[in-house]
Amino acid sequence: MKKVWLIFANIRLFCLNLLLMSVKPEISLIVPVYNVEPYLTECVESIRRQDFDVFEVLLVDDGSTDGSSRICDLMASGDSRFRVIHRQNGGTSVARNAGVAAARGRYIAFMDSDDVIHTSYLSRLYQIITDSNADIAMVKFAEGESLDFSKMSLSEKPVTQLSPMMALERTLYQDGLDTGPWCKLYRRTLFDKEQFIPDLLYEDLDFITRILPSVNKVAVSDDVLYYYRHRKGSNIGSFTLKRLDVLDVTENICKRVEQYGESLQLAARDRRLSAAFNMFILLGANGYSDSTASDRCWDIIRSLRGGELFNGKVRLKNKLGVLLSYGGRRLFSLISRIVRL
């Protein structure tokens, strides 16, 4: 009897996979994978548990040298919704672009391979974007070093709809809109003209600020449906001089928004000032206090701090930084390390 049940279960799974293969997915979920063997199974299992059926997953193995490649192939072998793309290591941006190029869905979502998602992550994003007819739907995320599913939940608050310029302004002021590619669902056509730039740190900030002006509207929910794992050794979790890319990214943002008027110009200046504050402090904490990079940050701070105190949209954190900066470079450096601005 047990053998009969197993045969029936296998036939049912086979038929289900055939059905799913014949249906064009609504959502393509793209997951770049690079040396995340301890976390990858948890990530994929959270995808398998989705209460949304019409989706595909593209696991883009970016030249992993641990057991991640084998896990990708194993996970895809029994589930036709999963496809694996093996490629030479080119970085996260290249992996995401490869996933988009291979995607068949009407909408695109992203996920990091060491994170997990709520069972309603895809279904809720799909509901938000279709109900609002927006080009981008957004939800919130929880974060920590270890997984805590209790931090994820659906919200009873209504969805907020934003114009592209309002969404861009709030993003630049860091006012509740995160720049990460995850926690979002994008209309596929947005990627016809824009891609992630290879070999660029803070490529997410660069990408979202390039793409927002071209959308019709953005729908934002307070649902917390994504868990971002803090992991030692990640690009943002450790300091290298490569992190100075953010100064170039924010400089380019300032240039791009010149065409959109004063309100967005002020928002872009504030985001650039915030980046300069952050890098100046990190440089000092990592032994680069007297470097040319530190000089560059301080020059940016001095050139952009005027007017920040009287801008009601600037965060208190930046205003405190401005006030401290008027005490001089040494005093700012000393106090900022103590209070960790």
Side-chain angles (χ1 to χ4, degrees):
M1 186 69 182
K2 186 176 181 180
K3 288 184 178 180
V4 173
W5 182 86
L6 285 173
I7 292 172
F8 176 76
N10 287 330
I11 292 174
R12 181 176 180 274
L13 180 60
F14 177 75
C15 292
L16 178 61
N17 283 335
L18 283 179
L19 177 63
L20 290 172
M21 288 175 66
S22 65
V23 177
K24 187 175 181 179
E26 282 290 286
I27 297 175
S28 295
L29 176 59
I30 298 166
V31 187
V33 176
Y34 180 72
N35 289 357
V36 286
E37 184 177 4
Y39 315 104
L40 185 55
T41 299
E42 281 183 318
C43 169
V44 172
E45 287 305 321
S46 73
I47 299 173
R48 286 190 192 276
R49 292 192 293 266
Q50 292 299 291
D51 56 15
F52 185 81
D53 290 328
V54 193
F55 73 98
E56 66 172 354
V57 183
L58 292 103
L59 300 173
V60 185
D61 172 31
D62 191 37
S64 295
T65 57
D66 64 356
S68 298
S69 299
R70 178 184 57 82
I71 294 174
C72 286
D73 291 334
L74 180 64
M75 292 296 181
S77 63
D79 193 329
S80 62
R81 296 174 300 178
F82 286 74
R83 288 192 283 152
V84 182
I85 300 173
H86 294 291
R87 53 167 294 110
Q88 291 184 342
N89 180 254
T92 305
S93 290
V94 175
R96 287 183 183 138
N97 291 338
V100 170
R104 298 186 298 126
R106 192 153 61 108
Y107 300 98
I108 300 289
F110 297 96
M111 183 179 179
D112 284 355
S113 52
D114 51 355
D115 298 337
V116 296
I117 50 179
H118 189 280
T119 54
S120 296
Y121 178 69
L122 293 180
S123 63
R124 182 64 178 137
L125 279 169
Y126 185 76
Q127 179 186 20
I128 293 167
I129 203 168
T130 53
D131 285 354
S132 62
N133 193 32
D135 282 340
I136 301 177
M138 299 185 182
V139 294
K140 308 293 185 181
F141 67 94
E143 56 187 321
E145 291 185 3
S146 57
L147 297 182
D148 185 354
F149 289 91
S150 66
K151 292 183 178 180
M152 293 192 288
S153 62
L154 293 165
S155 173
E156 295 182 357
K157 294 181 180 179
V159 172
T160 301
Q161 298 189 28
L162 301 174
S163 69
M165 294 306 154
M166 179 57 68
L168 180 56
E169 182 177 300
R170 285 187 55 181
T171 298
L172 292 172
Y173 278 121
Q174 301 171 79
D175 180 20
L177 301 187
D178 188 78
T179 61
W182 25 263
C183 283
K184 299 173 180 66
L185 188 63
Y186 305 83
R187 196 177 298 274
R188 173 67 178 81
T189 52
L190 294 177
F191 294 86
D192 291 344
K193 296 182 180 180
E194 298 289 355
Q195 289 187 326
F196 293 95
I197 295 179
D199 196 33
L200 179 70
L201 210 56
Y202 297 91
E203 78 286 349
D204 50 355
L205 173 60
D206 170 78
F207 178 77
I208 194 67
T209 53
R210 277 191 289 113
I211 207 170
L212 277 175
S214 65
V215 307
N216 64 346
K217 58 183 168 181
V218 178
V220 183
S221 169
D222 283 333
D223 297 329
V224 182
L225 304 179
Y226 190 100
Y227 199 93
Y228 177 79
R229 191 197 301 265
H230 290 183
R231 182 167 59 91
K232 293 181 180 179
S234 64
N235 286 337
I236 301 300
S238 57
F239 181 79
T240 68
L241 291 178
K242 183 65 176 168
R243 290 187 65 172
L244 292 170
D245 280 1
V246 71
L247 300 181
D248 296 326
V249 169
T250 52
E251 182 179 10
N252 289 332
I253 292 171
C254 287
K255 293 176 182 177
R256 285 200 301 269
V257 303
E258 287 179 355
Q259 60 184 304
Y260 300 127
E262 184 180 12
S263 61
L264 276 172
Q265 291 170 23
L266 291 173
R269 286 166 59 92
D270 179 66
R271 185 63 184 88
R272 181 157 168 75
L273 180 64
S274 182
F277 278 145
N278 190 34
M279 289 302 109
F280 182 84
I281 295 168
L282 286 174
L283 286 164
N286 288 276
Y288 295 97
S289 296
D290 299 320
S291 64
T292 56
S294 183
D295 293 342
R296 181 188 180 190
C297 291
W298 187 248
D299 289 342
I300 293 171
I301 291 169
R302 293 181 61 193
S303 67
L304 296 182
R305 63 190 177 186
E308 286 281 288
L309 296 176
F310 306 102
N311 184 344
K313 296 179 180 179
V314 171
R315 298 183 302 165
L316 177 61
K317 185 176 181 179
N318 269 16
K319 290 185 177 182
L320 289 174
V322 168
L323 286 173
L324 287 175
S325 74
Y326 282 110
R329 179 170 178 169
R330 292 186 181 277
L331 180 63
F332 176 83
S333 181
L334 176 63
I335 296 178
S336 62
R337 288 191 206 178
I338 296 173
V339 301
R340 300 295 294 178
L341 275 176

